[in-house]
Amino acid sequence: MLPKFPGDSIDGAGAVIEQVRQLAGHLARPTVATRDRHREWDETLFKALTVPGTFGGGLTAVQTAALLTALGEGSQDPGLALAVATHAVLVTVPLRTFGTEAQRSRYLPSIAAGDWIGGLSLLQTSGGRAVVTARAAGADWVLSGALELVALGPKAHHFLVIAEHSTGSRTAFLVDADTPGLFIEESTPAALRTCPWGRVVFDDCQVPADAVLGAVGAAATSVEPLLAALDWVFVSAAWLGILRALATDSLAASRTRELRGAHVLDSQSARFTLADLAIQNELVSGLLVKVAAQLDESAPTAYQDAASARLFTASAVRAVTEAAAELAGPAAADEGQLVDRAYRDARFFVSSGGGSEVLRPVIAASILED
């Protein structure tokens, strides 16, 4: 499903993973509070963490997940980590997997060079009803409708779009931002402020036949399941990095904070909370590594297990952010602190990827099949 890396192990890319963690800590972390406060997008920073080809072909799914975890942990920036995951994984991997030779030759070199950025509506990663329609116009297609919550929308060169036909079948398209009839409007969600967001409108937008990604009418059984699994695993991997950073910060805060004249760490409950943070991190890590390995092997259970991993990660994100806020005390209200930003952004993560309404039926279906 993803190109193999020599050695096929996390250790095979260990130096790159550590480099990403340190680079993100050096470049992104010092400015994240300011960028978050002012909703600033730093394209130079984005390129520094994705180019040259850090997240390109040659890495396994396990290694890519580890890189995103390192990025989240080093940067302490959920918005930036989501932007990287959207562009480098959610949009680019389906192109690598289902794209024609002509599509790959056209897009991938400019993507690898950092010149072209891919955008995606996060509402299209959960297999719900498409809000964009496609109708034939000779050999071409006409798209109509609008996509909300498009990550990287205002900065994207192209978009991965799932459109529905009158028959109910769906087709995936790669649509360039400068296509006539395509309009981009900036939007400002309350969370993940360091990622640029947009609304993309298709007003009888005519796209050529070679914009189709995969087979016509086959998105529901090809692109969409892959897209969902990629979202569930790799966006979760970035959040695992945030959880690790929260655990580290919580320990540091607990060492210095006093409550009623005593150190917080003198409290047994505080020590238990720190233990819980460590356990949640280990469990999430184990699940994500397991599912990423299944993606590498194209295992038949990867889709269902990815749903389980995402549902558990969402639960862990809720628990860890709440526990970290409790340990931080009044400092949790400081918007310059990771715990404040993570607590706010966690609600967005928990509701994305289809939420429990999509994830639980997928898991239940796999149980019933067994």
Short mmCIF file of all heavy atoms in Angstrom, two decimals, residues 77-142:
data_model
loop_
_atom_site.label_atom_id
_atom_site.label_comp_id
_atom_site.label_asym_id
_atom_site.label_seq_id
_atom_site.Cartn_x
_atom_site.Cartn_y
_atom_site.Cartn_z
N ASP A 77 2.49 21.22 17.80
CA ASP A 77 1.61 22.02 16.95
C ASP A 77 0.66 21.10 16.19
O ASP A 77 0.97 20.64 15.09
CB ASP A 77 2.47 22.84 15.97
CG ASP A 77 1.66 23.83 15.16
OD1 ASP A 77 0.43 23.70 15.10
OD2 ASP A 77 2.27 24.75 14.58
N PRO A 78 -0.53 20.83 16.74
CA PRO A 78 -1.47 19.93 16.06
C PRO A 78 -1.89 20.42 14.68
O PRO A 78 -2.10 19.62 13.77
CB PRO A 78 -2.68 19.89 17.02
CG PRO A 78 -2.13 20.28 18.36
CD PRO A 78 -1.03 21.26 18.06
N GLY A 79 -2.02 21.74 14.50
CA GLY A 79 -2.43 22.27 13.21
C GLY A 79 -1.40 22.03 12.13
O GLY A 79 -1.72 21.61 11.01
N LEU A 80 -0.14 22.28 12.44
CA LEU A 80 0.94 22.04 11.49
C LEU A 80 1.06 20.56 11.17
O LEU A 80 1.22 20.17 10.02
CB LEU A 80 2.26 22.57 12.06
CG LEU A 80 3.51 22.30 11.22
CD1 LEU A 80 3.43 22.98 9.87
CD2 LEU A 80 4.77 22.74 11.98
N ALA A 81 0.95 19.71 12.20
CA ALA A 81 1.04 18.27 11.98
C ALA A 81 -0.09 17.78 11.09
O ALA A 81 0.11 16.93 10.21
CB ALA A 81 1.02 17.53 13.32
N LEU A 82 -1.30 18.33 11.28
CA LEU A 82 -2.41 17.95 10.41
C LEU A 82 -2.16 18.40 8.98
O LEU A 82 -2.46 17.66 8.03
CB LEU A 82 -3.72 18.56 10.93
CG LEU A 82 -4.93 18.31 10.03
CD1 LEU A 82 -5.29 16.83 10.02
CD2 LEU A 82 -6.12 19.14 10.46
N ALA A 83 -1.62 19.60 8.80
CA ALA A 83 -1.33 20.09 7.45
C ALA A 83 -0.36 19.17 6.73
O ALA A 83 -0.55 18.83 5.56
CB ALA A 83 -0.78 21.52 7.52
N VAL A 84 0.69 18.75 7.43
CA VAL A 84 1.68 17.85 6.84
C VAL A 84 1.04 16.51 6.51
O VAL A 84 1.24 15.95 5.42
CB VAL A 84 2.88 17.67 7.77
CG1 VAL A 84 3.83 16.58 7.24
CG2 VAL A 84 3.64 18.99 7.93
N ALA A 85 0.25 15.96 7.44
CA ALA A 85 -0.39 14.67 7.21
C ALA A 85 -1.36 14.73 6.04
O ALA A 85 -1.45 13.80 5.23
CB ALA A 85 -1.11 14.21 8.48
N THR A 86 -2.11 15.83 5.94
CA THR A 86 -3.08 15.97 4.85
C THR A 86 -2.38 15.98 3.50
O THR A 86 -2.75 15.24 2.58
CB THR A 86 -3.91 17.26 5.03
OG1 THR A 86 -4.63 17.19 6.26
CG2 THR A 86 -4.87 17.45 3.88
N HIS A 87 -1.38 16.83 3.39
CA HIS A 87 -0.67 16.97 2.11
C HIS A 87 0.15 15.73 1.76
O HIS A 87 0.02 15.17 0.67
CB HIS A 87 0.25 18.19 2.18
CG HIS A 87 1.32 18.22 1.13
ND1 HIS A 87 1.04 18.42 -0.20
CD2 HIS A 87 2.67 18.05 1.22
CE1 HIS A 87 2.18 18.37 -0.90
NE2 HIS A 87 3.17 18.15 -0.05
N ALA A 88 0.99 15.29 2.70
CA ALA A 88 1.97 14.25 2.40
C ALA A 88 1.39 12.85 2.38
O ALA A 88 1.93 11.96 1.72
CB ALA A 88 3.12 14.32 3.40
N VAL A 89 0.28 12.64 3.11
CA VAL A 89 -0.28 11.30 3.22
C VAL A 89 -1.68 11.22 2.63
O VAL A 89 -1.93 10.46 1.68
CB VAL A 89 -0.29 10.82 4.69
CG1 VAL A 89 -0.88 9.41 4.79
CG2 VAL A 89 1.12 10.83 5.27
N LEU A 90 -2.62 11.98 3.16
CA LEU A 90 -4.01 11.80 2.76
C LEU A 90 -4.26 12.11 1.29
O LEU A 90 -5.09 11.46 0.64
CB LEU A 90 -4.92 12.68 3.63
CG LEU A 90 -4.87 12.46 5.14
CD1 LEU A 90 -5.97 13.26 5.83
CD2 LEU A 90 -5.00 10.99 5.48
N VAL A 91 -3.57 13.12 0.75
CA VAL A 91 -3.75 13.46 -0.66
C VAL A 91 -2.76 12.71 -1.54
O VAL A 91 -3.12 12.20 -2.61
CB VAL A 91 -3.61 14.98 -0.89
CG1 VAL A 91 -3.74 15.31 -2.37
CG2 VAL A 91 -4.67 15.74 -0.09
N THR A 92 -1.51 12.60 -1.11
CA THR A 92 -0.46 12.08 -1.97
C THR A 92 -0.46 10.56 -2.07
O THR A 92 -0.19 10.01 -3.15
CB THR A 92 0.92 12.58 -1.49
OG1 THR A 92 0.91 14.01 -1.47
CG2 THR A 92 2.03 12.12 -2.40
N VAL A 93 -0.76 9.85 -0.99
CA VAL A 93 -0.73 8.38 -1.06
C VAL A 93 -1.79 7.83 -2.01
O VAL A 93 -1.49 6.93 -2.81
CB VAL A 93 -0.85 7.76 0.35
CG1 VAL A 93 -1.07 6.25 0.26
CG2 VAL A 93 0.41 8.06 1.15
N PRO A 94 -3.05 8.33 -1.99
CA PRO A 94 -3.99 7.86 -3.02
C PRO A 94 -3.52 8.14 -4.44
O PRO A 94 -3.76 7.34 -5.35
CB PRO A 94 -5.28 8.64 -2.70
CG PRO A 94 -5.19 8.88 -1.23
CD PRO A 94 -3.73 9.17 -0.99
N LEU A 95 -2.84 9.27 -4.64
CA LEU A 95 -2.28 9.57 -5.96
C LEU A 95 -1.23 8.54 -6.33
O LEU A 95 -1.21 8.02 -7.46
CB LEU A 95 -1.67 10.97 -5.96
CG LEU A 95 -0.77 11.36 -7.14
CD1 LEU A 95 -1.54 11.28 -8.46
CD2 LEU A 95 -0.19 12.74 -6.93
N ARG A 96 -0.35 8.20 -5.40
CA ARG A 96 0.67 7.18 -5.67
C ARG A 96 0.03 5.82 -5.92
O ARG A 96 0.52 5.04 -6.75
CB ARG A 96 1.62 7.06 -4.48
CG ARG A 96 2.55 8.24 -4.28
CD ARG A 96 3.50 7.98 -3.11
NE ARG A 96 4.40 9.09 -2.89
CZ ARG A 96 5.51 9.30 -3.56
NH1 ARG A 96 5.87 8.44 -4.51
NH2 ARG A 96 6.28 10.33 -3.32
N THR A 97 -1.05 5.54 -5.21
CA THR A 97 -1.65 4.20 -5.28
C THR A 97 -2.54 4.02 -6.50
O THR A 97 -2.48 2.98 -7.17
CB THR A 97 -2.47 3.94 -4.01
OG1 THR A 97 -1.65 4.14 -2.86
CG2 THR A 97 -3.01 2.52 -3.98
N PHE A 98 -3.37 5.00 -6.81
CA PHE A 98 -4.36 4.85 -7.88
C PHE A 98 -4.10 5.71 -9.11
O PHE A 98 -4.79 5.58 -10.11
CB PHE A 98 -5.76 5.17 -7.34
CG PHE A 98 -6.21 4.25 -6.24
CD1 PHE A 98 -6.25 4.69 -4.92
CD2 PHE A 98 -6.57 2.94 -6.51
CE1 PHE A 98 -6.66 3.84 -3.90
CE2 PHE A 98 -6.97 2.08 -5.49
CZ PHE A 98 -7.02 2.53 -4.18
N GLY A 99 -3.12 6.61 -9.02
CA GLY A 99 -2.86 7.51 -10.13
C GLY A 99 -2.30 6.80 -11.34
O GLY A 99 -1.60 5.78 -11.23
N THR A 100 -2.60 7.34 -12.52
CA THR A 100 -2.00 6.83 -13.74
C THR A 100 -0.54 7.27 -13.79
O THR A 100 -0.09 8.13 -13.03
CB THR A 100 -2.73 7.38 -14.97
OG1 THR A 100 -2.58 8.81 -15.00
CG2 THR A 100 -4.21 7.02 -14.93
N GLU A 101 0.19 6.68 -14.71
CA GLU A 101 1.59 7.08 -14.88
C GLU A 101 1.68 8.56 -15.23
O GLU A 101 2.56 9.28 -14.73
CB GLU A 101 2.26 6.23 -15.97
CG GLU A 101 3.74 6.52 -16.14
CD GLU A 101 4.54 6.25 -14.88
OE1 GLU A 101 4.21 5.28 -14.16
OE2 GLU A 101 5.50 7.02 -14.61
N ALA A 102 0.76 9.03 -16.05
CA ALA A 102 0.76 10.45 -16.43
C ALA A 102 0.47 11.34 -15.22
O ALA A 102 1.09 12.40 -15.06
CB ALA A 102 -0.27 10.69 -17.53
N GLN A 103 -0.47 10.94 -14.37
CA GLN A 103 -0.78 11.73 -13.17
C GLN A 103 0.40 11.77 -12.23
O GLN A 103 0.76 12.83 -11.69
CB GLN A 103 -2.02 11.15 -12.48
CG GLN A 103 -3.32 11.42 -13.20
CD GLN A 103 -4.48 10.68 -12.58
OE1 GLN A 103 -4.33 9.57 -12.04
NE2 GLN A 103 -5.68 11.26 -12.66
N ARG A 104 1.02 10.62 -12.00
CA ARG A 104 2.16 10.59 -11.09
C ARG A 104 3.33 11.42 -11.64
O ARG A 104 4.00 12.13 -10.89
CB ARG A 104 2.60 9.15 -10.83
CG ARG A 104 1.58 8.33 -10.04
CD ARG A 104 2.20 7.06 -9.49
NE ARG A 104 2.59 6.16 -10.56
CZ ARG A 104 1.82 5.20 -11.05
NH1 ARG A 104 0.59 5.02 -10.56
NH2 ARG A 104 2.25 4.40 -12.01
N SER A 105 3.55 11.33 -12.94
CA SER A 105 4.64 12.10 -13.54
C SER A 105 4.37 13.60 -13.47
O SER A 105 5.30 14.40 -13.32
CB SER A 105 4.82 11.69 -15.01
OG SER A 105 5.21 10.34 -15.11
N ARG A 106 3.10 13.98 -13.55
CA ARG A 106 2.77 15.41 -13.52
C ARG A 106 2.84 15.99 -12.12
O ARG A 106 3.38 17.07 -11.91
CB ARG A 106 1.37 15.63 -14.09
CG ARG A 106 0.92 17.09 -14.02
CD ARG A 106 -0.37 17.34 -14.77
NE ARG A 106 -0.68 18.77 -14.74
CZ ARG A 106 -1.56 19.33 -13.93
NH1 ARG A 106 -2.24 18.57 -13.08
NH2 ARG A 106 -1.77 20.63 -13.95
N TYR A 107 2.30 15.27 -11.13
CA TYR A 107 2.15 15.84 -9.80
C TYR A 107 3.33 15.57 -8.87
O TYR A 107 3.75 16.46 -8.12
CB TYR A 107 0.86 15.30 -9.14
CG TYR A 107 -0.40 15.91 -9.69
CD1 TYR A 107 -1.10 15.29 -10.71
CD2 TYR A 107 -0.91 17.09 -9.16
CE1 TYR A 107 -2.28 15.84 -11.21
CE2 TYR A 107 -2.09 17.66 -9.65
CZ TYR A 107 -2.76 17.02 -10.68
OH TYR A 107 -3.92 17.58 -11.17
N LEU A 108 3.84 14.35 -8.87
CA LEU A 108 4.76 13.96 -7.80
C LEU A 108 6.08 14.75 -7.78
O LEU A 108 6.55 15.09 -6.69
CB LEU A 108 5.04 12.45 -7.87
CG LEU A 108 3.84 11.56 -7.51
CD1 LEU A 108 4.23 10.09 -7.63
CD2 LEU A 108 3.34 11.87 -6.11
N PRO A 109 6.70 15.06 -8.91
CA PRO A 109 7.93 15.85 -8.83
C PRO A 109 7.73 17.22 -8.18
O PRO A 109 8.55 17.65 -7.36
CB PRO A 109 8.37 15.98 -10.30
CG PRO A 109 7.78 14.78 -10.97
CD PRO A 109 6.44 14.59 -10.29
N SER A 110 6.65 17.90 -8.51
CA SER A 110 6.39 19.22 -7.93
C SER A 110 5.97 19.10 -6.47
O SER A 110 6.26 19.99 -5.66
CB SER A 110 5.31 19.95 -8.73
OG SER A 110 5.78 20.25 -10.03
N ILE A 111 5.30 18.00 -6.11
CA ILE A 111 4.97 17.76 -4.70
C ILE A 111 6.25 17.54 -3.91
O ILE A 111 6.46 18.11 -2.83
CB ILE A 111 4.03 16.55 -4.57
CG1 ILE A 111 2.64 16.91 -5.11
CG2 ILE A 111 3.93 16.09 -3.12
CD1 ILE A 111 1.69 15.72 -5.20
N ALA A 112 7.14 16.70 -4.44
CA ALA A 112 8.40 16.40 -3.75
C ALA A 112 9.27 17.65 -3.59
O ALA A 112 9.98 17.79 -2.60
CB ALA A 112 9.16 15.31 -4.50
N ALA A 113 9.18 18.55 -4.57
CA ALA A 113 9.98 19.77 -4.50
C ALA A 113 9.37 20.82 -3.59
O ALA A 113 10.00 21.85 -3.31
CB ALA A 113 10.14 20.36 -5.91
N GLY A 114 8.15 20.56 -3.12
CA GLY A 114 7.48 21.52 -2.25
C GLY A 114 6.78 22.64 -2.99
O GLY A 114 6.32 23.60 -2.38
N ASP A 115 6.69 22.52 -4.32
CA ASP A 115 6.07 23.58 -5.11
C ASP A 115 4.54 23.46 -5.15
O ASP A 115 3.84 24.46 -5.28
CB ASP A 115 6.61 23.57 -6.54
CG ASP A 115 8.10 23.86 -6.59
OD1 ASP A 115 8.58 24.62 -5.71
OD2 ASP A 115 8.79 23.32 -7.47
N TRP A 116 4.03 22.23 -5.08
CA TRP A 116 2.59 22.00 -5.15
C TRP A 116 2.13 21.36 -3.85
O TRP A 116 2.71 20.38 -3.37
CB TRP A 116 2.23 21.07 -6.31
CG TRP A 116 2.40 21.72 -7.66
CD1 TRP A 116 2.83 22.98 -7.91
CD2 TRP A 116 2.14 21.11 -8.92
NE1 TRP A 116 2.86 23.21 -9.26
CE2 TRP A 116 2.44 22.08 -9.92
CE3 TRP A 116 1.69 19.86 -9.33
CZ2 TRP A 116 2.29 21.83 -11.28
CZ3 TRP A 116 1.54 19.60 -10.69
CH2 TRP A 116 1.84 20.57 -11.65
N ILE A 117 1.06 21.91 -3.28
CA ILE A 117 0.47 21.41 -2.03
C ILE A 117 -0.92 20.86 -2.34
O ILE A 117 -1.68 21.47 -3.11
CB ILE A 117 0.37 22.54 -0.98
CG1 ILE A 117 1.78 23.03 -0.60
CG2 ILE A 117 -0.38 22.08 0.26
CD1 ILE A 117 1.77 24.23 0.33
N GLY A 118 -1.25 19.73 -1.74
CA GLY A 118 -2.56 19.12 -1.94
C GLY A 118 -3.50 19.40 -0.78
O GLY A 118 -3.10 19.37 0.38
N GLY A 119 -4.77 19.68 -1.09
CA GLY A 119 -5.78 19.96 -0.07
C GLY A 119 -6.88 18.92 -0.09
O GLY A 119 -7.10 18.24 -1.10
N LEU A 120 -7.61 18.83 1.02
CA LEU A 120 -8.66 17.81 1.16
C LEU A 120 -9.67 18.25 2.20
O LEU A 120 -9.30 18.77 3.26
CB LEU A 120 -8.02 16.48 1.61
CG LEU A 120 -8.97 15.33 1.95
CD1 LEU A 120 -9.57 14.76 0.68
CD2 LEU A 120 -8.23 14.24 2.72
N SER A 121 -10.94 18.01 1.91
CA SER A 121 -11.97 18.22 2.92
C SER A 121 -11.96 17.05 3.90
O SER A 121 -12.12 15.90 3.48
CB SER A 121 -13.35 18.33 2.27
OG SER A 121 -14.37 18.24 3.26
N LEU A 122 -11.79 17.34 5.17
CA LEU A 122 -11.76 16.26 6.16
C LEU A 122 -13.13 15.62 6.35
O LEU A 122 -13.26 14.60 7.03
CB LEU A 122 -11.23 16.78 7.49
CG LEU A 122 -9.78 17.25 7.48
CD1 LEU A 122 -9.30 17.51 8.90
CD2 LEU A 122 -8.86 16.26 6.78
N LEU A 123 -14.16 16.22 5.75
CA LEU A 123 -15.48 15.61 5.79
C LEU A 123 -15.60 14.49 4.75
O LEU A 123 -16.60 13.78 4.73
CB LEU A 123 -16.57 16.67 5.53
CG LEU A 123 -16.63 17.81 6.55
CD1 LEU A 123 -17.71 18.81 6.17
CD2 LEU A 123 -16.89 17.27 7.95
N GLN A 124 -14.58 14.34 3.90
CA GLN A 124 -14.63 13.31 2.85
C GLN A 124 -13.80 12.09 3.19
O GLN A 124 -13.61 11.22 2.34
CB GLN A 124 -14.16 13.91 1.53
CG GLN A 124 -15.11 14.95 0.95
CD GLN A 124 -15.00 15.05 -0.56
OE1 GLN A 124 -13.96 15.35 -1.11
NE2 GLN A 124 -16.10 14.79 -1.25
N THR A 125 -13.31 12.01 4.41
CA THR A 125 -12.47 10.87 4.77
C THR A 125 -13.24 9.77 5.49
O THR A 125 -12.64 8.77 5.88
CB THR A 125 -11.30 11.31 5.67
OG1 THR A 125 -11.81 11.81 6.90
CG2 THR A 125 -10.47 12.39 4.99
N SER A 126 -14.53 9.94 5.66
CA SER A 126 -15.28 8.98 6.48
C SER A 126 -16.34 8.22 5.68
O SER A 126 -17.17 7.52 6.26
CB SER A 126 -15.96 9.70 7.64
OG SER A 126 -16.79 10.75 7.17
N GLY A 127 -16.35 8.36 4.35
CA GLY A 127 -17.28 7.59 3.53
C GLY A 127 -18.71 8.04 3.59
O GLY A 127 -19.61 7.28 3.21
N GLY A 128 -18.96 9.25 4.07
CA GLY A 128 -20.33 9.76 4.12
C GLY A 128 -20.82 10.16 2.74
O GLY A 128 -20.11 10.06 1.74
N ARG A 129 -22.03 10.65 2.68
CA ARG A 129 -22.62 11.05 1.40
C ARG A 129 -21.81 12.20 0.81
O ARG A 129 -21.51 13.18 1.47
CB ARG A 129 -24.08 11.47 1.60
CG ARG A 129 -24.76 11.84 0.28
CD ARG A 129 -26.24 12.13 0.47
NE ARG A 129 -26.86 12.52 -0.77
CZ ARG A 129 -27.25 11.68 -1.72
NH1 ARG A 129 -27.08 10.38 -1.54
NH2 ARG A 129 -27.83 12.11 -2.82
N ALA A 130 -21.50 12.08 -0.48
CA ALA A 130 -20.75 13.12 -1.15
C ALA A 130 -21.62 14.36 -1.33
O ALA A 130 -22.81 14.27 -1.59
CB ALA A 130 -20.25 12.62 -2.51
N VAL A 131 -21.01 15.53 -1.19
CA VAL A 131 -21.74 16.79 -1.35
C VAL A 131 -21.37 17.47 -2.66
O VAL A 131 -21.84 18.56 -2.95
CB VAL A 131 -21.46 17.75 -0.17
CG1 VAL A 131 -22.05 17.20 1.11
CG2 VAL A 131 -19.96 17.99 -0.01
N VAL A 132 -20.51 16.83 -3.44
CA VAL A 132 -20.17 17.30 -4.78
C VAL A 132 -20.70 16.27 -5.77
O VAL A 132 -20.56 15.06 -5.58
CB VAL A 132 -18.65 17.46 -4.95
CG1 VAL A 132 -18.30 17.85 -6.39
CG2 VAL A 132 -18.13 18.51 -3.99
N THR A 133 -21.36 16.74 -6.83
CA THR A 133 -21.91 15.84 -7.84
C THR A 133 -21.09 15.93 -9.12
O THR A 133 -20.46 16.95 -9.40
CB THR A 133 -23.37 16.19 -8.16
OG1 THR A 133 -23.45 17.53 -8.68
CG2 THR A 133 -24.23 16.09 -6.90
N ALA A 134 -21.10 14.85 -9.87
CA ALA A 134 -20.39 14.79 -11.14
C ALA A 134 -21.33 14.32 -12.23
O ALA A 134 -22.06 13.34 -12.05
CB ALA A 134 -19.20 13.84 -11.04
N ARG A 135 -21.33 15.02 -13.35
CA ARG A 135 -22.12 14.58 -14.51
C ARG A 135 -21.23 14.63 -15.75
O ARG A 135 -20.32 15.47 -15.86
CB ARG A 135 -23.36 15.45 -14.70
CG ARG A 135 -23.10 16.85 -15.15
CD ARG A 135 -24.42 17.61 -15.39
NE ARG A 135 -24.22 18.88 -16.02
CZ ARG A 135 -23.94 20.02 -15.40
NH1 ARG A 135 -23.84 20.03 -14.07
NH2 ARG A 135 -23.78 21.14 -16.08
N ALA A 136 -21.48 13.71 -16.65
CA ALA A 136 -20.67 13.62 -17.85
C ALA A 136 -20.94 14.79 -18.78
O ALA A 136 -22.08 15.25 -18.91
CB ALA A 136 -20.93 12.29 -18.56
N ALA A 137 -19.88 15.26 -19.44
CA ALA A 137 -20.00 16.31 -20.46
C ALA A 137 -19.07 15.90 -21.60
O ALA A 137 -17.93 16.35 -21.69
CB ALA A 137 -19.60 17.66 -19.90
N GLY A 138 -19.55 14.99 -22.44
CA GLY A 138 -18.70 14.40 -23.45
C GLY A 138 -17.67 13.51 -22.77
O GLY A 138 -18.03 12.66 -21.95
N ALA A 139 -16.42 13.72 -23.09
CA ALA A 139 -15.36 12.94 -22.46
C ALA A 139 -14.98 13.51 -21.11
O ALA A 139 -14.27 12.85 -20.33
CB ALA A 139 -14.14 12.88 -23.37
N ASP A 140 -15.44 14.72 -20.80
CA ASP A 140 -15.08 15.40 -19.55
C ASP A 140 -16.17 15.24 -18.51
O ASP A 140 -17.18 14.55 -18.72
CB ASP A 140 -14.82 16.89 -19.82
CG ASP A 140 -13.64 17.10 -20.76
OD1 ASP A 140 -12.77 16.21 -20.83
OD2 ASP A 140 -13.60 18.16 -21.42
N TRP A 141 -15.96 15.90 -17.36
CA TRP A 141 -16.90 15.85 -16.25
C TRP A 141 -17.17 17.26 -15.73
O TRP A 141 -16.29 18.12 -15.77
CB TRP A 141 -16.35 14.99 -15.11
CG TRP A 141 -16.13 13.56 -15.50
CD1 TRP A 141 -14.98 13.01 -15.98
CD2 TRP A 141 -17.10 12.51 -15.47
NE1 TRP A 141 -15.15 11.68 -16.24
CE2 TRP A 141 -16.44 11.35 -15.94
CE3 TRP A 141 -18.43 12.43 -15.09
CZ2 TRP A 141 -17.10 10.12 -16.04
CZ3 TRP A 141 -19.08 11.22 -15.19
CH2 TRP A 141 -18.42 10.08 -15.65
N VAL A 142 -18.38 17.46 -15.25
CA VAL A 142 -18.76 18.74 -14.65
C VAL A 142 -19.07 18.50 -13.19
O VAL A 142 -19.95 17.68 -12.85
CB VAL A 142 -19.97 19.37 -15.36
CG1 VAL A 142 -20.40 20.65 -14.63
CG2 VAL A 142 -19.64 19.69 -16.82
#
